[in-house]
């Protein structure tokens, strides 16, 4: 690993090559990555006729594990074997932890007594116009019929996120594969009193394990640089470092493929959940970094993420764990809400308001890697740009661009670093940008 001073220069140079702020509005036309639902994606909602309700609102089914099986038609051999195998396992769906929904595209199925009078815990949606199949991306949006629709079964968690997709062309084998997975799922248990909890979201399956590994490999190959934090000094936002408050190393991601992969998953798996839980429409994202806390003393003392002019635009912080099984300690804690600790599984995210006091507890063993962006919206972007006048030396000025497709080129930064002799940035002449002078009471603001 290069000396720390070299690391710092390399990281700052990288920031001039790729700005970490990208818009998150959906791309048009749709990109190939959106062609199919994937594990971790929120299930599309719909209202449809069913065997029990002419306008069944699927969003009301949350709170249990759901099997949503697009068997197509009992007139087709695979579809017939698939639905019959699930009906034969009706006892499984008598358990309140589970519920089964079949989806039929065949109008003839509506007069089938076996489908209209199902056992408890099982119902059928009538998707004669294939609108549900299209929402689940099993047919093109402009498809006029069900030709090419292959039987597929989705397994959803209690928050209606996809946790399994089964598409084998043997109907009985497909059903049996689903039923075997149901046996291994954690029991939900009966209703119970709530415990004091911070208002945070814990979302599994945001990043696949392969992407987590690629991000860790990038950090290990390129090394990290000392991570500072933002404070107010003389009415300006400056960057400071103090190992008594924060010990962490950050790698700024400059690999465009990794940036796009991370952003796409946040757009499709975190943004909808923030809208549902907090009624907030995320459109923009700040920074792409992999952070490392290690057992030599990695931690971040209690702080908030939006207490300076340069960070006031931040609305939500995101911590995506890249290797949750490989370390002890290092969890998040929100002191205002007790001493419970929070850790998402590998590839999972903890999402919370930047106004909440929080800390990263010391790592006791191993090395923790995490991907740490901030999310905000168009109104906050205007605040960010308006606060450029309050940024100190070495803090990049923000240039707000018009909304653009999610993977469009990033906004271009303009450095406010002071110019030295010969027009070179001062930090190349031995000065460290972003270092404040003077002191203030209280805890420094975090970033």
């Amino acid at each position: 690993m290069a000396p720390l001073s070299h690391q710092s220069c390399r990281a700052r140079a990288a920031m001039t090559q790729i700005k970490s702020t990208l818009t998150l509005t959906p791309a048009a036309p749709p990109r190939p990555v959106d062609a199919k639902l994937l594990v971790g994606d929120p299930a599309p909602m719909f209202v449809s006729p069913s065997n029990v309700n002419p306008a069944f609102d699927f969003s009301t089914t949350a709170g249990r594990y759901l099997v949503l099986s697009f068997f197509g038609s009992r007139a087709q051999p695979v579809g017939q074997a698939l639905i019959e195998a699930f009906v034969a396992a009706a006892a499984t769906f008598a358990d309140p932890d589970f519920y089964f929904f079949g989806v039929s595209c065949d109008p003839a199925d509506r007069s089938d007594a076996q489908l209209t009078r199902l056992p408890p815990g099982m119902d059928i949606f009538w998707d004669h116009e294939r609108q549900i199949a299209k929402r689940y991306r099993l047919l093109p949006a402009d498809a006029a019929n069900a030709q090419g629709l292959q039987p597929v079964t989705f397994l959803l968690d209690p928050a209606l996120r996809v946790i399994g997709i089964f598409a084998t062309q043997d109907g009985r084998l497909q059903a049996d594969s689903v039923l075997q997975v149901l046996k291994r799922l954690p029991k939900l248990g009966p209703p119970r009193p709530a415990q004091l909890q911070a208002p945070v979201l814990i979302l599994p399956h945001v990043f696949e394990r392969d992407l987590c590994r690629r991000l860790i490999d990038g950090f290990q190959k390129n090394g990290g640089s000392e991570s500072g934090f933002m404070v107010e000094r003389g009415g300006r936002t400056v960057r400071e470092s103090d190992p008594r408050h924060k010990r962490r190393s950050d790698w700024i991601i400059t690999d465009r493929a990794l940036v796009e992969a991370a952003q796409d998953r946040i757009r499709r798996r975190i943004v909808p959940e923030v809208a549902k839980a907090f009624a907030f429409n995320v459109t923009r994202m700040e920074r792409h970094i992999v952070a490392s806390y290690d057992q030599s003393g990695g931690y971040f003392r209690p702080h908030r993420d939006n207490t300076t002019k340069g960070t006031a635009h931040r609305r939500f912080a995101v911590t995506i764990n890249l290797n949750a099984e490989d370390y002890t300690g290092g969890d998040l804690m929100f002191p205002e809400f007790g001493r419970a600790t929070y850790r998402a599984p590998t590839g999972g995210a903890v999402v919370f308001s930047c106004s909440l006091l929080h800390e990263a507890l010391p790592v006791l063993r191993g090395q923790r890697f995490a991907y740490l962006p901030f999310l905000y919206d168009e109104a906050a972007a205007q605040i960010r740009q308006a606060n450029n006048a309050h940024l100190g030396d070495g803090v990049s000025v923000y240039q707000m661009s018009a909304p653009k497709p999610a993977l469009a080129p990033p906004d271009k930064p303009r450095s406010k670093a002071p110019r030295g002799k010969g027009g070179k940035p001062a930090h190349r002449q031995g000065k460290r940008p972003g270092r404040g002078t003077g002191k203030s009471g209280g805890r420094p603001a975090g970033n």
Side-chain angles (χ1 to χ4, degrees):
M1 181 179 293
L4 181 60
S5 59
H6 293 175
Q7 292 285 336
S8 300
C9 290
R10 182 169 61 188
R12 292 186 182 107
M15 291 187 71
T16 66
Q17 298 171 13
I18 179 168
K19 181 72 171 177
S20 58
T21 302
L22 301 174
T23 52
L24 290 164
T25 48
R31 290 164 290 126
V33 71
D34 286 333
K36 293 182 179 179
L37 285 179
L38 301 173
V39 169
D41 290 347
M45 298 298 103
F46 58 86
V47 176
S48 171
S50 77
N51 61 314
V52 294
N53 188 332
F56 195 118
D57 184 349
F58 185 65
S59 70
T60 64
T61 63
R64 67 198 78 189
Y65 298 107
L66 300 183
V67 175
L68 185 65
S69 184
F70 291 80
F71 66 91
S73 170
R74 284 200 70 195
Q76 299 298 323
V78 177
Q80 180 180 13
L82 181 58
I83 187 63
E84 289 182 353
F86 279 124
V87 172
T92 297
F93 302 103
D95 185 323
D97 281 5
F98 306 116
Y99 211 95
F100 172 86
F101 290 100
V103 182
S104 170
C105 295
D106 186 353
D109 286 345
R110 202 159 187 168
S111 59
D112 189 317
Q114 187 176 11
L115 298 183
T116 56
R117 293 192 295 272
L118 288 167
M122 305 185 76
D123 286 309
I124 299 290
F125 289 113
W126 310 124
D127 191 28
H128 303 161
E129 296 182 359
R130 291 88 182 177
Q131 294 305 307
I132 307 175
K134 291 175 183 177
R135 289 188 66 80
Y136 277 73
R137 305 174 193 171
L138 302 178
L139 289 172
D142 57 354
N145 54 54
Q147 185 175 2
L149 176 63
Q150 300 296 323
V152 176
T153 299
F154 293 90
L155 179 57
L156 310 181
D157 71 10
L160 303 183
R161 294 183 292 257
V162 178
I163 57 174
I165 303 173
F166 305 81
T168 178
Q169 293 309 296
D170 182 320
R172 292 188 181 278
L173 179 59
Q174 185 178 137
D176 185 64
S177 298
V178 175
L179 294 168
Q180 291 302 315
V181 171
L182 294 183
K183 293 177 181 179
R184 300 195 298 269
L185 292 174
K187 297 292 290 182
L188 301 178
R192 53 197 175 274
Q195 302 295 316
L196 179 65
Q197 179 174 321
V200 306
L201 287 177
I202 299 180
L203 306 174
H205 307 301
V206 175
F207 285 177
E208 298 84 358
R209 284 184 174 269
D210 176 68
L211 178 56
C212 293
R213 185 70 256 169
R214 289 165 60 197
L215 290 168
I216 293 173
D217 288 347
F219 183 100
Q220 293 175 332
K221 177 182 178 181
N222 295 280
S225 58
E226 179 185 6
S227 177
F229 47 88
M230 298 298 184
V231 296
E232 292 285 310
R233 294 286 183 260
R236 292 185 177 273
T237 299
V238 299
R239 179 184 180 276
E240 285 195 350
S241 296
D242 183 349
R244 296 170 301 175
H245 183 63
K246 179 182 182 182
R247 294 187 64 177
R248 192 181 84 196
S249 295
D250 295 345
W251 169 54
I252 299 172
I253 305 169
T254 57
D255 183 324
R256 190 65 191 174
L258 282 178
V259 167
E260 293 180 356
Q263 189 190 23
D264 178 72
R265 285 151 179 80
I266 287 174
R267 178 176 59 81
R268 59 194 289 169
R269 296 171 186 167
I270 292 182
V271 171
E273 298 295 331
V274 171
K276 181 170 66 176
F278 301 113
F280 184 87
N281 182 30
V282 173
T283 60
R284 294 185 182 250
M285 179 175 170
E286 178 185 350
R287 78 183 189 182
H288 291 277
I289 65 169
V290 173
S292 170
Y293 299 88
D294 64 34
Q295 63 187 17
S296 67
Y299 55 78
F300 198 169
R301 301 303 187 198
H303 63 283
R304 306 181 200 271
D305 288 325
N306 58 0
T307 56
T308 71
K309 287 292 200 310
T311 59
H313 62 281
R314 296 173 177 173
R315 295 296 179 258
F316 290 92
V318 178
T319 294
I320 299 179
N321 276 341
L322 304 180
N323 64 329
E325 303 90 354
D326 297 339
Y327 60 90
T328 58
D331 292 341
L332 288 173
M333 188 168 75
F334 298 84
E336 296 163 305
F337 297 90
R339 295 185 176 179
T341 60
Y342 297 77
R343 178 190 300 208
T346 295
V350 180
V351 184
F352 54 94
S353 166
C354 289
S355 297
L356 295 182
L357 185 69
H358 61 285
E359 65 176 304
L361 296 171
V363 171
L364 304 177
R365 180 188 63 80
Q367 186 172 13
R368 175 193 175 205
F369 292 98
Y371 175 84
L372 306 175
F374 295 107
L375 307 179
Y376 58 110
D377 64 0
E378 297 306 294
Q382 294 181 22
I383 293 172
R384 186 179 187 186
Q385 181 163 281
N387 282 338
N388 280 336
H390 301 282
L391 302 182
D393 293 341
V395 180
S396 295
V397 171
Y398 176 68
Q399 290 181 286
M400 179 180 174
S401 62
K404 51 187 182 287
L407 299 182
D411 301 334
K412 295 180 179 179
R414 290 189 291 111
S415 175
K416 280 196 66 175
R419 311 301 288 184
K421 294 180 181 180
K424 294 182 179 180
H427 72 269
R428 294 188 180 181
Q429 300 179 28
K431 297 181 181 179
R432 295 186 63 186
R435 292 295 300 244
T437 57
K439 299 179 180 180
S440 67
R443 292 188 175 106
N447 75 329

